[in-house]
């Protein structure tokens, strides 16, 4: 099986996607198809041995739509419209594996306590199918977009609206009903009586053509919808008016109503198209952050090249203030990178030799030389944009509900219009009055806003999530997050750093804590053991300068020794104390026993046979974890923890963080069973893990949330992917889910609820009291509901996650 993304421009409304999905789905060999109206493309999964992508594109052309996306045998274009000769992007990026935290014992620290804090290894995942996915485009200044149809639909409706409005104005001015209503007399001249029918016919044929074409497609595919209703309304008004104009019946023509109706409908559709395109704007802005050129360093010096010419292994110079042109690794230099647009991290991130940098992030004041590791559609930015596009393509239950409601409303509107006409005729009303009532019902009941209500909210919410480091792979996961009552965290690397740190310490009387740590870090600086590195890193985190040590040596089975400032010190565990007959003050002994009860390694600083300090070393808890769990508890959500560590270690972490339920000594294969255990209690469960090692549990949970690190996301692991390894993003997901669902409900009521009052009003139930709506007013009300839906959805952008 193969998956391709095909451009499908000129869809007139969200209704068009149904007919596109249906017709492409009928092509032999096509397994599935999903159309993204906002992105104007179709994601098609098909058997390449039975059907070629060119056949699928031919079907798109038969629908009257444009398809200019490169086929499988054509090179895809990069974000600037330049040819990208790199291989097609894979469907998924490999997840970042956690590094093992080795056990505490080694040849130089044989006397250290054994600490069961290993992090299970996570192998990389890969997708089982090939995906031909072009890189998202960007309209760079000075470059013509490779997609000449991008934005074509809004421009089409805009141009037709302004021209139709210009022609409509004289129709209204010379309309007899308007003159009678406003009490003026328009100038008469030869042929002025035919001005209204001629100009209104021009408006009908020019401005109304897009609606008639849309209705033809809907009826051809047996999917009547919004275009059908609009076309029925303007066609009935057009035919009726000509019948009256030719004197076949004695009544009043509807020329001004017809012209104004078409103009207002064009305005409504223009607003809709602009709203949808603006919903994609934030992601497009990300792509624009990529520079047009890069400075490449060669054997002969520096050269400026187009970024499409970059290849893996190239060495680039990134000057202060410049955007990083490609994913890479710092080979020389120090700086701080602004990654807010990718990870949502507000503070610049320090970068030095060996650190990864991400394309489109902004370099700070330092100059960097980076080795390219990813270009074009292989960058993390492109991966993020593909994830967001996929999320906007997937349909949630709310979308299916809106689709069904819109279909029902279409049928109800046609039925109500026919019933209105028949009822007024039976009541003895004039023919033109009955026709006007019928047309008004057809217009006011158009499910225009209903088709826009959910997709627009989804486009904005998924983009908002991406800008905050929350990548939604499946909208159903985001929708269900609001109902969560239990969140399960994998401990190592999620709630903890996955690295050793000093988590508690005690020093002898008369010695300053920072001075003791300075000495301890200097002794351990020569060792590569994970516990030693954890002690040194703790000192560095506290801003303590690590001193140089002389005479470093390992004491087999006991620990290490070194000289600091001319004084010899030893460091080790209980075996060192026993071998050297070390005197341990009561306070230090109590601290050591507390560490042992928590399953932590107790490491002593010893000088001249006396213990000066003891350090409890363990996998350190992230500072963010406390805030995350507190935020979840505030939302009434229970927190559980899964770990392969010993019960004592797990209980110590749980006690410190306030975790409600602990599953310790759990093998990776058994994690899914623990998820099912909670689900069996009727709980709605989310699992938070590293994406691969926890894959079975992520798949079993109601919502799987994969933790990424530095934007290296595990896209196959769950419904939602976190760009940052920050547990505080879990409450943010729930917040995003709740505000998104609330906006969907509000929009559905704004889009459909008003019909409860609007349809009877349009039918003329208040006519006995002199209250009647014209078709033009009906069109304004219908368009107003669309505008309200669009504005309400745009308010999502103000939400602080």
């Amino acid at each position: 099986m193969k998956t391709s993304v095909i451009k499908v421009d000129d869809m007139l409304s969200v209704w068009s996607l149904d007919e596109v999905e249906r017709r492409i789905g009928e092509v032999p060999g096509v397994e599935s198809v999903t159309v993204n109206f906002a992105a104007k493309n179709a994601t098609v999964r098909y058997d390449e041995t039975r059907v070629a992508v060119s056949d699928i594109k031919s079907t798109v052309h038969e629908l009257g739509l444009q398809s200019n996306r490169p086929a499988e045998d054509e090179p895809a274009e990069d974000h600037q419209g330049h040819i990208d000769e790199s291989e097609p992007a894979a469907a998924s990026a490999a997840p970042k594996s956690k590094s093992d935290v080795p056990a505490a014992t080694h040849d130089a620290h044989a006397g250290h306590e054994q600490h069961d804090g290993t992090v299970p290894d996570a192998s990389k995942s890969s997708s089982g199918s090939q995906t031909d996915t072009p890189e998202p485009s960007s309209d760079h200044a000075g470059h013509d977009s490779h997609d000449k149809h991008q934005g074509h639909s809004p421009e089409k409706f805009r141009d037709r609206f302004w021209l139709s409005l210009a022609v409509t104005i004289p129709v209204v001015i010379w309309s007899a009903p308007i003159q009678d209503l406003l009490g003026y007399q328009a100038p008469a001249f030869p042929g002025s009586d035919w001005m209204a029918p001629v100009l209104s016919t021009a408006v009908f044929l020019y401005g109304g053509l897009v609606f008639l074409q849309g209705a033809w497609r809907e009826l051809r595919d047996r999917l009547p919808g919004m275009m059908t209703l609009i076309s029925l309304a303007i066609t009935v008004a057009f035919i009726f008016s000509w019948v009256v104009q030719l004197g076949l019946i004695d009544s009043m023509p509807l020329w001004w109503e017809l012209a104004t109706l078409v103009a207002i409908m064009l305005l409504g559709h223009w607003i809709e198209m602009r709203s949808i395109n603006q919903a994609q704007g934030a992601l497009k802005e990300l792509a624009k952050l990529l520079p047009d050129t890069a400075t490449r360093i060669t054997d002969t010096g520096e050269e400026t090249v187009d970024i499409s010419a970059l290849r893996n292994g190239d060495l680039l110079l990134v000057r202060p203030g410049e955007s990083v042109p490609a994913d890479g690794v710092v080979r020389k230099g120090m700086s701080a990178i602004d990654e807010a647009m990718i990870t949502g991290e507000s503070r610049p991130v320090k970068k030095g030799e060996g650190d990864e940098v991400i394309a489109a992030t902004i370099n700070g004041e330092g100059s960097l030389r980076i080795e390219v590791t990813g270009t074009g559609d292989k960058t993390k930015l492109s991966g993020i944009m593909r994830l967001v596009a996929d999320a906007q393509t997937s349909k949630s239950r709310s979308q299916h509900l809106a689709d069904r409601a819109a279909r029902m409303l279409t049928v109800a509107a046609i039925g109500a219009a026919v019933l209105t006409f028949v009822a007024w005729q039976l009541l003895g009303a004039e023919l033109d009055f009955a026709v006007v009532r019928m047309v008004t019902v057809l217009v006011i009941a158009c499910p225009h806003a209903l088709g826009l209500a959910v997709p627009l909210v989804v486009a904005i919410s998924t983009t908002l999530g991406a800008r905050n480091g929350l990548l939604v792979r499946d909208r159903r996961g985001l929708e269900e997050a609001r109902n969560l009552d239990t969140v399960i965290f994998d401990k190592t690397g999620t709630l903890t750093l996955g690295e050793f740190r000093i988590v508690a310490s005690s020093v002898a009387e008369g010695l300053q804590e920072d001075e003791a740590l300075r000495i301890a870090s200097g002794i351990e600086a020569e060792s590569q053991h994970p516990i030693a590195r954890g002690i040194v890193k703790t000192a560095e985190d506290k801003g303590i300068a690590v001193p140089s040590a002389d005479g470093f040596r390992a004491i087999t089975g006991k620990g290490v020794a070194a000289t600091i400032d001319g004084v010899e010190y030893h460091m080790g565990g209980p075996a060192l104390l026993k071998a050297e007959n070390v005197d341990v003050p009561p306070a230090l002994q109590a601290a050591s026993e507390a560490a042992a009860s928590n399953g932590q390694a107790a490491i002593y600083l010893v000088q001249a046979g006396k213990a000066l300090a003891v350090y409890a070393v363990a996998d350190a808890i992230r500072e963010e974890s406390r805030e995350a769990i507190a935020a979840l508890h505030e939302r009434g959500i229970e927190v559980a923890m899964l770990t392969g560590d010993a019960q004592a270690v797990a209980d110590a972490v749980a006690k410190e963080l306030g975790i409600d339920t602990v599953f310790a000594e759990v093998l990776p294969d058994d994690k899914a069973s623990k998820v099912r255990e909670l689900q069996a209690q009727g709980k709605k469960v989310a699992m938070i893990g590293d994406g691969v090692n926890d894959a079975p549990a992520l798949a079993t949970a109601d919502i799987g949330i994969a933790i990424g690190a530095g934007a290296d996301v595990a896209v196959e692991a769950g419904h939602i992917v976190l760009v940052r390894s920050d547990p505080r993003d879990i409450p943010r997901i729930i917040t995003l889910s709740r505000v998104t669902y609330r906006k969907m409900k509000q929009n559905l009521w704004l889009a459909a609820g008003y019909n409860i009052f609007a349809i009877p009003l349009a039918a003329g139930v208040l006519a006995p009291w002199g209250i009647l709506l014209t078709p033009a007013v009906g069109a304004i009300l219908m368009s107003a509901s669309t505008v309200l839906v669009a504005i309400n959805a745009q308010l999502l952008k103000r939400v602080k996650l």
Side-chain angles (χ1 to χ4, degrees), residues 98 477 481 484-492 494-495 632 637-644 663 666-668 670-676 678-679 683-707 717-722 730 733-734:
K98 296 179 185 174
L484 288 175
D485 52 33
T486 304
V487 171
I488 305 176
F489 285 95
D490 174 51
K491 180 185 81 69
T492 308
T494 303
L495 293 175
L632 289 171
I637 296 173
E638 179 183 340
V639 180
M641 182 178 71
L642 273 173
T643 180
F663 298 106
V666 180
L667 297 175
D670 295 331
K671 290 184 177 181
S673 64
K674 297 301 181 183
V675 174
R676 285 191 289 267
L678 291 176
Q679 289 174 324
K683 298 181 183 296
K684 201 77 171 179
V685 179
M687 173 67 194
I688 322 299
D690 70 353
V692 176
N693 180 61
D694 304 308
L698 288 167
T700 303
D702 297 288
I703 302 172
I705 302 176
I707 290 280
H719 298 91
I720 300 170
V721 179
L722 306 184
I730 307 304
I733 289 172
I734 296 170

Side-chain angles (χ1 to χ4, degrees), residues 86-403:
S86 60
E87 297 177 359
S92 62
K96 186 177 183 68
S97 302
K98 296 179 185 174
S99 300
D100 286 343
V101 178
T105 304
H106 74 63
D107 57 348
H109 280 71
H112 289 193
E113 292 282 6
Q114 178 73 24
H115 170 58
D116 184 14
T118 59
V119 183
D121 185 29
S123 59
K124 294 183 178 181
S125 68
S126 61
S127 177
S129 61
Q130 180 184 0
T131 303
D132 178 20
T133 308
E135 181 185 1
S137 64
S138 171
D139 300 323
H140 271 31
H143 292 275
D144 292 330
S145 174
H146 71 274
D147 177 9
K148 68 179 181 179
H149 294 286
Q150 187 70 22
H152 178 63
S153 291
E155 293 171 359
K156 173 190 293 185
F157 284 107
R158 179 200 63 195
D159 296 343
R160 289 179 182 253
F161 162 70
W162 286 117
L163 187 53
S164 296
L165 178 63
V167 176
T168 297
I169 291 174
V171 173
V172 173
I173 292 175
W174 269 269
S175 172
I178 297 299
Q179 294 181 58
D180 294 340
L181 177 65
L182 300 180
Y184 71 91
Q185 183 67 44
F189 54 85
S192 60
D193 292 340
W194 285 90
M195 178 183 291
V198 171
L199 295 181
S200 295
T201 298
V203 171
F204 173 77
L205 295 177
Y206 175 71
L209 181 61
V210 289
F211 303 115
L212 297 174
Q213 290 173 335
W216 167 250
R217 295 181 201 151
E218 289 179 350
L219 294 174
R220 180 188 60 191
D221 292 285
R222 300 182 297 280
L223 292 171
M226 177 178 59
M227 293 297 174
T228 302
L229 289 181
I230 297 173
S231 296
L232 275 174
I234 62 177
T235 301
V236 168
F238 176 72
I239 295 174
F240 176 79
S241 296
W242 268 114
V243 169
V244 173
Q245 188 72 30
L246 296 175
L248 300 179
I249 61 173
D250 184 16
S251 187
M252 286 293 295
L254 306 175
W255 294 125
W256 80 270
E257 291 93 340
L258 170 63
T260 53
L261 178 56
V262 171
I264 292 172
M265 285 296 184
L266 288 170
L267 174 62
H269 277 68
W270 176 26
I271 292 172
E272 175 191 352
M273 294 296 180
R274 286 189 60 191
S275 297
I276 290 176
N277 282 0
Q278 287 171 358
Q280 295 274 307
L283 275 185
K284 291 178 180 178
E285 289 302 314
L286 286 180
K288 290 180 181 179
L289 293 172
L290 283 170
D292 293 334
T293 60
T295 302
R296 183 164 59 191
I297 300 174
T298 65
D299 294 337
T300 59
E302 299 177 6
E303 62 177 356
T304 300
V305 298
D306 192 281
I307 68 167
S308 64
L310 297 179
R311 296 293 178 265
N312 288 354
D314 285 351
L315 188 63
L316 306 180
L317 174 63
V318 183
R319 295 184 174 87
E322 291 183 343
S323 295
V324 178
D327 289 353
V329 177
V330 177
R331 293 307 180 203
K332 186 178 180 180
M334 293 283 292
S335 188
I337 301 288
D338 181 359
E339 297 182 341
M341 66 291 297
I342 301 294
T343 67
E345 176 59 57
S346 58
R347 295 171 298 180
V349 181
K350 292 182 179 179
K351 299 290 183 179
E353 187 173 335
D355 291 332
E356 293 185 356
V357 293
I358 306 169
T361 54
I362 310 299
N363 187 23
E365 297 180 355
S367 181
L368 297 175
R369 295 194 178 197
I370 67 169
E371 179 183 339
V372 175
T373 59
T375 63
D377 57 6
K378 302 296 181 65
T379 62
K380 292 179 175 65
L381 171 63
S382 291
I384 289 171
M385 296 182 71
R386 280 196 296 272
L387 280 178
V388 175
D390 290 344
Q392 293 174 347
T393 298
S394 63
K395 283 191 177 183
S396 66
R397 278 188 281 272
S398 294
Q399 180 62 64
H400 286 297
L401 175 62
D403 291 344

Side-chain angles (χ1 to χ4, degrees), residues 42-98:
T43 302
V44 186
R45 192 165 187 266
Y46 60 96
D47 184 349
E48 64 270 33
T49 63
R50 298 178 57 197
V51 63
V53 71
S54 57
D55 297 328
I56 300 172
K57 293 171 72 175
S58 295
T59 301
V60 173
H61 283 294
E62 290 173 4
L63 286 166
L65 303 177
Q66 300 295 321
S67 173
N68 65 337
R69 185 72 76 180
E72 58 184 347
D73 55 348
E74 299 172 349
E77 291 176 309
D78 73 359
H79 80 288
Q80 299 180 76
H82 300 298
I83 298 298
D84 180 6
E85 298 174 355
S86 60
E87 297 177 359
S92 62
K96 186 177 183 68
S97 302
K98 296 179 185 174

